[in-house]
Amino acid sequence: SVEEPLDLIRLSLDERVYVKCKGERELRGKLHAFDPHLNLVLGDVEETVTTIELEEETEEEIVTSSKRNMEMLFVRGDAVILISPPIRTG
């Protein structure tokens, strides 16, 4: 049951989660561990970094995203904006 915010994260251990970080970074991976500071250890991680540049002549926004995969990643808690647990059906 969920009585405190960290309970929701505890229930997501060994599940794939979505993590939004500062700096337009998004992570999807299996949550292996966390602590009260929201430091996270993720496995089988896909990182997406989105950059927005302004074209000087036309002042048009150019949005690009790059992806990379990592076997294991430590995420420092102060970079975390949001953690979304897996979608549960039923």
Side-chain angles (χ1 to χ4, degrees):
S1 72
V2 178
E3 295 178 17
E4 296 181 16
L6 290 178
D7 290 345
L8 186 61
I9 299 169
R10 181 181 47 79
L11 292 172
S12 300
L13 280 170
D14 296 322
E15 304 271 355
R16 288 193 65 79
V17 295
Y18 166 80
V19 181
K20 183 166 178 59
C21 298
K22 294 178 183 176
E24 300 301 320
R25 290 177 63 209
E26 297 179 5
L27 306 168
R28 285 178 173 79
K30 186 175 181 181
L31 180 63
H32 288 287
F34 72 97
D35 68 13
H37 302 287
L38 290 185
N39 294 317
L40 308 173
V41 177
L42 299 173
D44 188 24
V45 184
E46 179 185 76
E47 175 189 45
T48 304
V49 179
T50 304
T51 56
I52 300 171
E53 296 179 24
L54 195 61
E55 169 60 49
E56 290 182 20
E57 292 179 16
T58 63
E59 295 189 19
E60 204 174 307
E61 284 187 351
I62 301 169
V63 179
T64 57
S65 65
S66 61
K67 293 187 180 199
R68 67 178 177 157
N69 293 306
M70 292 160 279
E71 193 174 310
M72 195 68 71
L73 182 67
F74 174 89
V75 182
R76 187 177 158 119
D78 66 353
V80 174
I81 295 173
L82 173 145
I83 301 173
S84 178
I87 297 171
R88 303 193 194 287
T89 56

